[in-house]
Amino acid sequence: MRCTPSKTFPEVVIIEPDVYKDSRGYFLETYRLDRYSDSGVPVQFVQDNLSVSRRGTLRGLHYQLARPQGKLIYTVEGEIFDVMADIRKGSPMFGKWQGIVLSADNHRQLYIPEGFAHGFCVTSERACIMYKCTDFYDPSSERGIIWNDPSLAVAWPVEHPVLSPKDSRYPTLGELPEDDLPVYSPPVENP
């Protein structure tokens, strides 16, 4: 298994699991606490989610405020363009985003810690995404940012995405009240 911090956000980890292929197909571990913890994903997960969507569907950009969720994302079928945006008040990377292709063929996983807004767009005919969360879904804590916020300027691979009514009504990052943003905590250095 190879784990690499993302180029934009060192807290975000790109995971490339070992895949064992033969004439029957393949096998891989999608999660193992000890190996993931040793590789920079030092959390335990409390909820697993499954999302199935058709081409052009865009989900996001979502986050939870009072009960923030770190997410470990894996594409089981198809391909997505996965996006994280740093919206942590006081972060040196505030307002920056990064996108990465996750697919059933490349087997990449992505760990996005608390404090980031997250979304994805389906680029294949259909995609099935599994993701683990570090906290439970809490509707009262749910927040979001409109997918085409000009201040973020995410280079989505779709001009006219399929959106939920909720996702189409989110505000821009600049329209959010300051109290609706997570707060950045600098990493603690070991002595």
Side-chain angles (χ1 to χ4, degrees):
M1 177 171 84
R2 189 172 77 179
C3 296
T4 311
S6 82
K7 292 177 181 172
T8 307
F9 308 112
E11 308 95 320
V12 173
V13 181
I14 301 165
I15 301 154
E16 297 175 84
D18 295 326
V19 180
Y20 303 96
K21 296 180 181 181
D22 63 23
S23 61
R24 299 167 297 165
Y26 64 88
F27 170 85
L28 68 122
E29 289 180 344
T30 59
Y31 179 72
R32 184 172 150 169
L33 177 63
D34 60 342
R35 288 188 181 157
Y36 280 62
S37 180
D38 291 345
S39 299
V41 183
V43 293
Q44 291 193 19
F45 299 97
V46 299
Q47 181 177 320
D48 283 358
N49 297 325
L50 173 69
S51 174
V52 178
S53 304
R54 66 181 172 94
R55 181 185 295 279
T57 296
L58 194 152
R59 297 183 185 269
L61 296 160
H62 304 143
Y63 67 101
Q64 286 190 177
L65 190 61
R67 298 188 72 171
Q69 294 179 310
K71 296 177 181 176
L72 178 64
I73 301 138
Y74 178 66
T75 303
V76 178
E77 175 190 341
E79 180 180 278
I80 63 171
F81 181 68
D82 201 272
V83 170
M84 76 274 336
D86 189 345
I87 59 166
R88 300 170 297 171
K89 191 169 34 177
S91 168
M93 298 300 288
F94 181 82
K96 303 288 185 212
W97 68 274
Q98 181 179 358
I100 183 170
V101 173
L102 302 178
S103 74
D105 291 334
N106 70 23
H107 302 288
R108 282 189 204 136
Q109 297 176 337
L110 189 61
Y111 174 68
I112 303 171
E114 295 87 352
F116 286 78
H118 171 253
F120 65 86
C121 180
V122 177
T123 56
S124 56
E125 283 306 309
R126 171 184 141 115
C128 178
I129 298 94
M130 297 280 303
Y131 57 102
K132 296 180 158 312
C133 299
T134 59
D135 204 343
F136 300 109
Y137 172 65
D138 177 22
S140 67
S141 182
E142 185 177 26
R143 303 287 188 278
I145 299 164
I146 191 73
W147 70 280
N148 59 352
D149 181 336
S151 71
L152 292 175
V154 174
W156 294 104
V158 62
E159 280 188 47
H160 305 288
V162 178
L163 299 167
S164 72
K166 178 176 63 175
D167 286 354
S168 67
R169 291 190 300 267
Y170 279 132
T172 65
L173 183 57
E175 292 170 336
L176 284 170
E178 198 167 302
D179 290 348
D180 272 3
L181 293 173
V183 177
Y184 174 71
S185 297
V188 177
E189 304 231 356
N190 292 332

